Structures are given as C-alpha cells and as structure tokens.
Amino acid sequence: MSDGWKNAAGRTFAAAVIAVALSAPALAQLPPASLTQPESAGDLRFTGPASASADAPPPHSALQQAFPETTATPVVLDAQVDVLPTPIAENVAPQSTSEELGLDEVLNSVRRSYPLLIAAIQERGIAAGEQRSSRGVYDLHVQAENMTEALGFYQNNRAAFKAEQYTLPGGKVWGGYRIGRGSFEPWYLERQTNDGGEFKVGYEQSLLQGLAIDKRRATMRKADLGVVAAEPSIDKQRIYFLEYAAMDYWKWVATGHWYLINRDLLELAQARVEGIENRIARGILPEIERLDNRRLIVLRQAKLIEADRKFQQAAVELSLYLRDEFGAPVLPSAARLPPFPEPSEPQESHYETDVEVALMYRPEPRYLRIQRDKLLVELNYSRNLTLPQLNAVVDAAKDVGGPTSPKNDKGPFQMEAGVLFAVPMQRRMATGQIRSTEAALTQIRAQEQFALERVQADVRFALVGLKTAYEEYLRAQEGAELAAQMGAAERTKFDLGNSNILFVNLREQATADARILVVDSLAEYFIAAAEYRAALGLDAGISSQP
C-alpha cells in the first residue's frame, strides 16, 4: 500500500489505543458493511482483445473472481451521495448527467478520445508511410533530354528518352529511344543515328551478390515489419493509459468517500450543539464541554476543506481521461460519485492459465520478436555482401529510317552480352556488419527472455497485490463492525452522563479512521485489479477510433 493510503491506517491505530469505535449517530446515517454491487456489472467485466485467437486460454483467474458477473450489492459508505455539497460546481462546469460514473465510461472515453492514445495510433500511419516509401526504389524512372549544338564547326541536335526499373529478383531492365541529326565530331559519331532514330532495350541480373537479397529488398522487408511492430507499440501505450485511467478513477471514488466521511464527522459535532446547550443549562455538563465541542467543529471544518480539496484535485486528474463527444475534458460532478462495488476473493488456482494469457496478449515480447526479425533481415543482407558481384548483362539496339552514312553501319540489329565482376578483397564492411548484427541479435534475445520473465513476474506481483488488498479489506471491514458496537456503547454512556466530549471525540475520530481504512482498502483492491488487468495485457488489440 502506498504512503498516501497508509495515513488513515496510522490514525486508526493511534485512536484505537484509546478507543476503537463507530459513533452511533454516524451509524444512523451510514449503514456499515452493507454490501451491494452496481446494476452494471459490465463496468467491471473484463474481456480479452477482439483480435485474440479463438484458441486463447480464457482469463479465468483472480481477475474473474474479483469481478463476477453475478448481481450483488455495493459497499455503501454514505446514502446521501447525490446531495454532496462541494464547491466544484461553482468553479467549473461538471458533466450535466447525474447518473453514477462507471469505470466503463471512463475507459471507453480513453479509447475514443484520449489525445496521447490518438497520438500513439498515428504510428500505424507513420509505419504505413515508411512501408510505401520503401517501395519507391522499384518505381519506374524516366529520363529525357534534348541537346543542340547550334554554333561551331559541328552543328547537330540530339534527343533521348529512357525508362529504367529495378526488378525483385535483383535485376534491372531498361529501354529507350534516341535520335541524333546533323554533323558530329568524329570522336562522337556514336551520337549519330539513322533518320528514324534508335530503339534500345537491356537487362542486367545479379548472379551472386544481390540475388537472394539486396539493400532495396532488405529496406522493404524491414518496413513491412515496421508496420507489424506498430501494433504492439500502440498496445503497450493503450494498456498503460487504460491502467492509469482506472487508477485515477478509483482514487477519485476514494477521495469522494473521504469527503463524505469528514462531512459526517462534522455533522455529528454540529448535531450535538443543542443537546449540549440543554445539558449545560440543566447543570448536567460543565461549560467547558461547549467550548470543546466548538473546537471540534472548527477542526472538522478544516479537515472537510482539506478533503474537498483532494476530491476536486482527483476530479481534475480524472477529467484528463473522461472526455465528451468533442474530445474536451469533462470534470465529473460530485453527484456522479458511485459506491464501491463489493470485492470478491481472488483465486490463485488459475495462475498458470493467466500466465499463458499474458504471454499471448502482452505486447512487449511481440515487439521484441519483430525487432529480432528485423535484425535477421539485416544479417542476411550483410552475409550476402560477402559474395562477389557477378552480374550478367544483355543489351540490344536497332536503328530505323534512312541510313546516316553510305555504309549503313547503324542499320543492322545490334546486341551485346557479357558479365561484370567486382569484389572488395578484405570485405571489411560486410564482415563488420555481420559482427555488429550478430551482437545485436544476442542482445535482443536476452531482452526477449527477460521480457517473458517480466510478464510472468508482473502477473504474480499483481496477483499478490490483489490478494493482500482483499485480505486487508476483510480486516478493515471486521474492525469497522467491531467499532460499531463500541461506538453504540460509548454513546449510551454519554446519554447517561457517564462520558464526556473528549471520549466521544476519540470514538468519533476512531470511527472516521476506521471508515477511511475501509475506503483505502477498497481503493487499493480495485487499483490492484487494474494493475492485474494490465499485467495480463487484456486491452491489447482492442481497436481505438480517434
């Protein structure tokens, strides 16, 4: 349990040294240990991602045990939630609806409108753009030129058009047309063509280096993997945002009930004023009791203001996740504060199944596997670079039209074929890339192993948190019930004149601390449930519509 949640427990222990009780007037307004569950069990029903395999093991486990779909009753901490006075409405416009705010509404708002999730989803477009860009190396390249020598001893005009395109098997095909007319320098007679010009086609094919893979295909394959890698990256952020949205939601619910408890505590002191005045007038109580009760009222008013500040601040934090149809933050009104659902005991019997679910849904191992595949592409390309360049080339040309010379030396069909060979003797670039890539593969395999272990540890860690939070809730609830009996006895003593405001105050403070401890344990339980859901990765693959 965090330090913030432990403060109430500390106060409870200190007060319990003197008296552990629940005030009887408070019990008249607050039925202790009345357990119910919201009508909408869907607020807490967890399902796997829509894209999950039908063969995926179901996430039974503590998660389903914590949130059964059967109907029960909520933990009612105050029956007057809808009339909660708070200055929130005076400062900002809250959401107009008065219905209780459920967790599903917050999570659906995150999936639909949360800006950082919308930003994360754009990774798909970025990866798709890079994928399309990688295909650009196979675009058809077209070149054209028109050159004229208008002055000088040799005057001529030449024009040319050429189209060239790389092919997937590591080849290149080209074709074109050119025409050259006029008088040419003897050393540039190849620029001259017959009257109808020259048509030319050719093809070059890699036979060793560049046959199985080349830089163009390696870039394209890595871009394809980048599109796949965008999904686990988005899933990871979605899981994170939904987890923290749920945590802020339960913190808002908890601080709202803190406010109610402090309000009840203040109302108890205010309700005693008339009775104390009557007893003082009859000589039953000394004058100091009036002053002591007034001190309590002022002190509890200060605590109520502090609780209201925390409630408003929690509402502001929650508004970052709760948004309207236009995507603007919505400040939840105090009237929408719901009761806590009844927690259910988590079961450890499905731990192994839950680990399988987590290993299937969690995005971190998937992302690392894709990065490993990228490195394997790079390794294959680097190994291919160790091969010598051996390319076969064939080129054919034919002039048409009237001959440009009496010999008609450009008239016959021309074709040439051959091979091109080149190799760097040391091959240091290729061997260096191989060494670097193999080291990176070893690195990412270690990271992948740790990611799998981290997933299992996260599931175990979250399950422990869920179980201990539930046990803490049971103890807190039991303590509250025992304190209720003590509180009733103390009030009876005060009514008979056998007690005073000092002891009544201690009982009431112990009552408030016990109630706050129940609230804190409930908040810890449902926050632990959110962490457990995140550990299983059940929100991975759920589509978001920005």
Side-chain angles (χ1 to χ4, degrees):
M1 181 181 294
S2 62
D3 294 339
W5 300 109
K6 291 180 180 177
N7 293 335
R11 294 195 301 268
T12 302
F13 177 79
V17 173
I18 303 173
V20 180
L22 279 171
S23 163
L27 295 175
Q29 302 179 26
L30 180 66
S34 175
L35 301 179
T36 54
Q37 184 174 347
E39 294 179 3
S40 175
D43 285 355
L44 299 167
R45 187 180 305 129
F46 293 155
T47 57
S51 62
S53 168
D55 298 330
H60 299 295
S61 76
L63 202 55
Q64 286 186 335
Q65 297 294 332
F67 302 107
E69 299 178 358
T70 55
T71 302
T73 25
V75 179
V76 177
L77 297 175
D78 195 286
Q80 303 297 326
V81 174
D82 56 338
V83 294
L84 173 64
T86 174
I88 289 180
E90 300 174 5
N91 300 326
V92 253
Q95 198 168 28
S96 58
T97 178
S98 60
E99 297 179 356
E100 291 177 355
L101 178 60
L103 179 60
D104 263 359
E105 183 177 343
V106 176
L107 298 184
N108 289 334
S109 175
V110 172
R111 296 185 184 106
R112 180 186 65 248
S113 307
Y114 190 57
L116 294 184
L117 182 54
I118 293 175
I121 291 172
Q122 303 315 306
E123 292 185 20
R124 290 178 185 152
I126 295 172
E130 292 175 350
Q131 182 187 45
R132 180 177 177 82
S133 177
S134 69
R135 267 68 176 167
V137 293
Y138 291 100
D139 287 348
L140 178 64
H141 291 265
V142 176
Q143 300 176 353
E145 66 175 17
N146 187 0
M147 306 294 294
T148 300
E149 289 188 44
L151 299 176
F153 183 81
Y154 299 99
Q155 298 181 8
N156 56 70
N157 174 264
R158 61 188 185 274
F161 170 86
K162 182 180 181 181
E164 181 180 86
Q165 184 171 17
Y166 287 97
T167 61
L168 283 175
K172 181 174 68 173
V173 61
W174 64 88
Y177 170 82
R178 69 185 183 92
I179 186 170
R181 294 177 177 177
S183 59
F184 292 86
E185 298 87 339
W187 51 89
Y188 282 145
L189 289 180
E190 73 278 1
R191 294 178 178 178
Q192 192 175 32
T193 68
N194 284 352
D195 292 344
E198 178 192 68
F199 292 91
K200 190 172 186 178
V201 294
Y203 182 74
E204 180 177 354
Q205 175 62 52
S206 300
L207 301 178
L208 291 176
Q209 185 183 125
L211 176 61
I213 188 172
D214 54 23
K215 185 175 183 179
R216 292 178 294 275
R217 279 174 286 173
T219 302
M220 190 168 63
R221 291 178 186 175
K222 288 191 287 186
D224 292 342
L225 290 170
V227 173
V228 181
E231 294 306 318
S233 178
I234 295 171
D235 287 343
K236 181 178 180 180
Q237 296 177 76
R238 181 189 295 112
I239 291 171
Y240 176 85
F241 297 144
L242 291 175
E243 176 187 5
Y244 275 80
M247 293 171 65
D248 279 355
Y249 169 80
W250 293 117
K251 289 176 183 177
W252 173 73
V253 174
T255 55
H257 286 283
W258 290 351
Y259 180 93
L260 296 177
I261 293 170
N262 282 278
R263 185 195 66 180
D264 289 347
L265 199 60
L266 173 61
E267 290 175 351
L268 288 174
Q270 292 172 334
R272 280 197 302 267
V273 172
E274 184 177 354
I276 290 176
E277 292 294 339
N278 291 336
R279 293 188 182 188
I280 291 175
R282 289 183 291 165
I284 300 176
L285 293 177
E287 289 284 341
I288 196 173
E289 296 292 340
R290 178 193 296 116
L291 183 61
D292 199 14
N293 196 63
R294 177 59 185 164
R295 176 188 64 82
L296 290 180
I297 291 175
V298 173
L299 179 61
R300 292 175 183 182
Q301 285 174 337
K303 289 186 176 181
L304 184 64
I305 293 172
E306 179 186 7
D308 181 68
R309 172 181 60 81
K310 292 180 178 180
F311 187 31
Q312 292 191 59
Q313 288 176 338
V316 171
E317 288 293 328
L318 184 59
S319 70
L320 294 176
Y321 299 101
L322 182 63
R323 295 173 179 267
D324 60 20
E325 61 272 19
F326 304 106
V330 173
L331 201 63
S333 67
R336 302 199 67 194
L337 182 69
F340 278 100
E342 179 189 3
S344 298
E345 182 178 4
Q347 302 295 327
E348 198 171 0
S349 58
H350 296 289
Y351 168 73
E352 298 298 332
T353 302
D354 288 344
V355 169
E356 293 179 14
V357 171
L359 292 175
M360 179 176 297
Y361 291 154
R362 283 283 291 271
E364 296 90 341
R366 286 189 285 128
Y367 181 80
L368 289 173
R369 284 194 293 269
I370 295 169
Q371 298 306 310
R372 182 189 62 190
D373 290 343
K374 283 187 176 182
L375 288 174
L376 289 174
V377 172
E378 187 66 28
L379 181 61
N380 289 336
Y381 171 61
S382 300
R383 287 173 175 170
N384 185 264
L385 288 179
T386 62
L387 300 175
Q389 292 181 355
L390 180 63
N391 296 356
V393 182
V394 61
D395 189 277
K398 180 68 172 73
D399 281 53
V400 296
T404 187
S405 67
K407 297 186 297 181
N408 193 21
D409 55 342
K410 295 184 178 294
F413 176 79
Q414 303 174 29
M415 185 179 72
E416 61 180 357
V419 292
L420 305 175
F421 179 84
V423 59
M425 299 307 296
Q426 288 82 9
R427 304 179 186 178
R428 286 178 289 193
M429 184 180 73
T431 54
Q433 289 184 8
I434 291 173
R435 181 175 180 181
S436 174
T437 306
E438 286 178 342
L441 274 170
T442 302
Q443 181 184 61
I444 207 163
R445 287 191 181 103
Q447 293 172 349
E448 188 177 354
Q449 176 187 351
F450 180 78
L452 296 174
E453 296 168 349
R454 177 77 266 177
V455 167
Q456 299 179 58
D458 286 348
V459 174
R460 171 65 71 180
F461 184 89
L463 181 58
V464 169
L466 194 62
K467 290 183 60 180
T468 55
Y470 178 76
E471 293 171 359
E472 184 178 355
Y473 161 73
L474 293 180
R475 301 300 177 271
Q477 191 77 341
E478 182 181 1
E481 293 171 357
L482 294 173
Q485 302 174 22
M486 296 283 293
E490 186 66 36
R491 187 177 185 279
T492 300
K493 289 175 60 179
F494 180 77
D495 291 340
L496 295 175
N498 296 327
S499 185
N500 55 40
I501 294 298
L502 174 61
F503 285 102
V504 171
N505 172 49
L506 292 174
R507 298 290 186 183
E508 290 174 351
Q509 189 59 54
T511 294
D513 290 344
R515 292 172 64 189
I516 288 176
L517 186 59
V518 173
V519 170
D520 288 349
S521 63
L522 285 168
E524 284 291 341
Y525 176 87
F526 290 107
I527 288 176
E531 293 172 345
Y532 193 62
R533 179 180 178 86
L536 295 183
L538 296 182
D539 289 307
I542 296 179
S543 61
S544 301
Q545 298 299 329

